[in-house]
Amino acid sequence: MRDFYSILGVKRDAGSDEIKAAWRTKAKSVHPDKNRDDPQAHNRFAEIGRAYEVLKDPAKRNRYDQQRMKVEALEREQTIMQQRQAAREAAEKAKQAKINAERVLEELARAEAEKAKADATQAAKAKAAKEQAAEAKTKAQAESGAKDAAAETASATGTDKTSTAGASAGPKSGPSATVGGTASGPEEAASRIFGDSPEAAAAAESLRREQEAAELQEGIPLKPAASPLLAPIELFSSLVRRLRGAPPPLPEKAPDIFADAVVAIADLLEQKSVSITLNDGREVRVPLNGVTEGHVVRLKGQGLKFQGLQRGDVAVTIKVLRADRFAVDQFDIRTVLPITLENAVLGCETQVEGPDGTMVPVTVPAWSNSDQVIRIDDLGLPNAEDGRGALVVELRVMLWEKPDEKVTDLMRLMREGLYI
């Protein structure tokens, strides 16, 4: 749907005089007689004419505004549906990621249990080997003492026999505990759980380097693992510690809901909250503190709600109703003050109605022109800085309803001069 306001280059709250002046300017600039080399000049000229035909008539303009609001509401509804679909897809991805994370944590817990079991077995075997070594040493010492006693007895009886002792048996080391199976490095273990990805290889390499650096810093020489099974288990334990120590990431945020709040100037002056109905039927309250036309009020945590996602917001765009005598310009309120010709030339003291209905005194300086403005501070809309805008009074020089002969003669004298 074509935007007639943008075609004429005016705002949606523009008055009839502003629309007419914009139409004249546009029509002159795109007239086919001035753009003979442009084959699209005629179409643009006709489009400007159609826009002016609709906007100059209040009834046609009202119907056009209502139709355009319906179209914009439909477009917003389609956007919300797309956002909901995206949110559902994001929720499905989050669910799958959660399943994968639980599976990985389960495998890591199983690996920790196997490591603890292997450590206990190895400790038991080491204790048994130590006991065997101590027993062998005691037995060797007893045999050596018996041989020494026999040698002393033989030498006392004068027997020329020599007792020789065989090779003394030293303590034997216990059997080494080995674990069968195919050796696998940290990269292969990480790949088996997290997949063949560069991130898994980088994590394994980083953990191995950190362990080597810690051992070198403490003065412990590097040494291989006692069992091929323990190397991947050490890697799993380090990953578990990292996963459990890192804070959980915040869930993704659901899409926002966009809506419009049409308010009057009196609502902005009173700064009261207004109620609007969303597309899903819910009713929310929108505060109007320090806002004006075009501002967006964001209602935190009142938007779409999906499982596994943070709740979205409601973004409300403020739109001000058009009034007969007042217009909103940022935080200023503009109005028109008609003055007569003599008051424009000589100046005067008069009054103008304010937005709250009270009469505000205005001093019109001498020799004032049409479109000249007079600013009256602190009578506009409240802003976010605890201040207020101004009441902007635009002067409009008006002639009398009936012609005045004296004024006519004076104007003719000023234009043609006095001849005697």
Side-chain angles (χ1 to χ4, degrees), residues 321-371:
L321 285 172
R322 289 195 297 265
D324 295 335
R325 302 186 59 182
F326 301 99
V328 174
D329 182 10
Q330 296 296 321
F331 291 99
D332 295 338
I333 300 178
R334 304 181 70 92
T335 186
V336 176
L337 176 62
I339 58 174
T340 59
L341 181 61
E342 65 270 20
N343 288 335
V345 174
L346 301 176
C348 67
E349 297 287 339
T350 184
Q351 291 182 334
V352 64
E353 183 180 357
D356 56 354
T358 60
M359 301 304 296
V360 180
V362 178
T363 299
V364 179
W367 210 255
S368 296
N369 292 321
S370 286
D371 299 333

Side-chain angles (χ1 to χ4, degrees), residues 126-282:
K127 183 179 180 181
K130 186 176 180 182
E131 291 178 354
Q132 291 178 3
E135 184 179 355
K137 184 177 180 180
T138 303
K139 184 177 181 181
Q141 289 177 355
E143 291 178 355
S144 178
K147 289 180 180 181
D148 292 342
E152 290 177 359
T153 303
S155 60
T157 58
T159 305
D160 190 12
K161 295 181 180 179
T162 305
S163 297
T164 60
S168 59
K172 297 181 181 180
S173 60
S176 60
T178 60
V179 181
T182 303
S184 61
E187 292 83 358
E188 184 178 350
S191 174
R192 189 167 64 252
I193 292 182
F194 298 103
D196 296 332
S197 64
E199 290 79 2
E205 182 66 21
S206 176
L207 289 172
R208 185 166 55 251
R209 290 182 178 178
E210 288 180 3
Q211 183 177 3
E212 293 176 358
E215 291 178 352
L216 289 176
Q217 185 176 2
E218 294 176 0
I220 303 175
L222 298 177
K223 58 181 179 180
S227 171
L229 179 62
L230 298 181
I233 292 178
E234 290 290 345
L235 172 62
F236 298 156
S237 301
S238 299
L239 289 176
V240 168
R241 288 192 295 270
R242 284 197 170 193
L243 290 174
R244 292 180 177 176
L250 294 176
E252 296 183 4
K253 185 180 179 182
D256 296 336
I257 297 178
F258 297 92
D260 293 337
V262 182
V263 299
I265 296 178
D267 297 329
L268 297 178
L269 288 172
E270 296 175 0
Q271 293 189 303
K272 294 182 178 179
S273 59
V274 296
S275 177
I276 63 172
T277 303
L278 304 178
N279 293 330
D280 56 3
R282 291 188 295 117

